[in-house]
Amino acid sequence: IDSSIRNDAQLEDYSAMLYHYAEQYFKIVSSALDKHMPNHMYLGARFPDWGKPKEIVQAAAKHVDVMSYNVYKEEIHPQSWAFLEEIDMPSIIGEFHFGARDNGLFHPGLIQAATQQDRAEMYKDYMYSVIDNPYFVGAHWFQYMDSPISGRAYDGENYNVGFVNVTDTPYAPMVDAAREINGNMYSRRFK
């Protein structure tokens, strides 16, 4: 079967099919959650920043309580997230992190910082970009503890992405940055 797109009618059909497929998916999950877990919020599917087709996002917005995204970037760029105004839903970042190599681990993670202090500054910049966007209601750092130097058992990941190292010693710059963010996020958000 030749599935190449040759005209606007095909694009419209594919777009409609994608929307209806996604709409059924989110509707079924929402109904199941309402039945089996009433009074719980449905946070959607944590769309990756590179994979959020407008049809699927629009379908999800009809059924979820909060839109969720994994955004491994330096910050939330307002022009890339302008579509949030159209769907008018609270949104949350499900995963993001920064790592560096100055602590002895071999890999800095998906977004690299120069040092632990640079990680903390990048964390603050990211969080302020989330706080400054009226549609975001929060962001979740991935993850609490660094990966072991020998790598995680199931995939070998050995990232410096924790707020603490594998001996549960906090990275002071990250703790200080989190303290600063949490101490002024409401005054910044609500002026």
Side-chain angles (χ1 to χ4, degrees), residues 75-76 121-133 177 179-185 188-189:
E75 62 184 31
I76 303 299
E121 294 303 318
M122 291 174 74
Y123 171 79
K124 289 192 301 188
D125 290 344
Y126 190 100
M127 287 302 296
Y128 285 134
S129 73
V130 171
I131 292 165
D132 293 343
N133 186 308
R179 184 179 294 117
E180 178 184 321
I181 292 293
N182 290 304
N184 70 27
M185 71 177 149
R188 182 180 178 116
R189 179 72 171 254

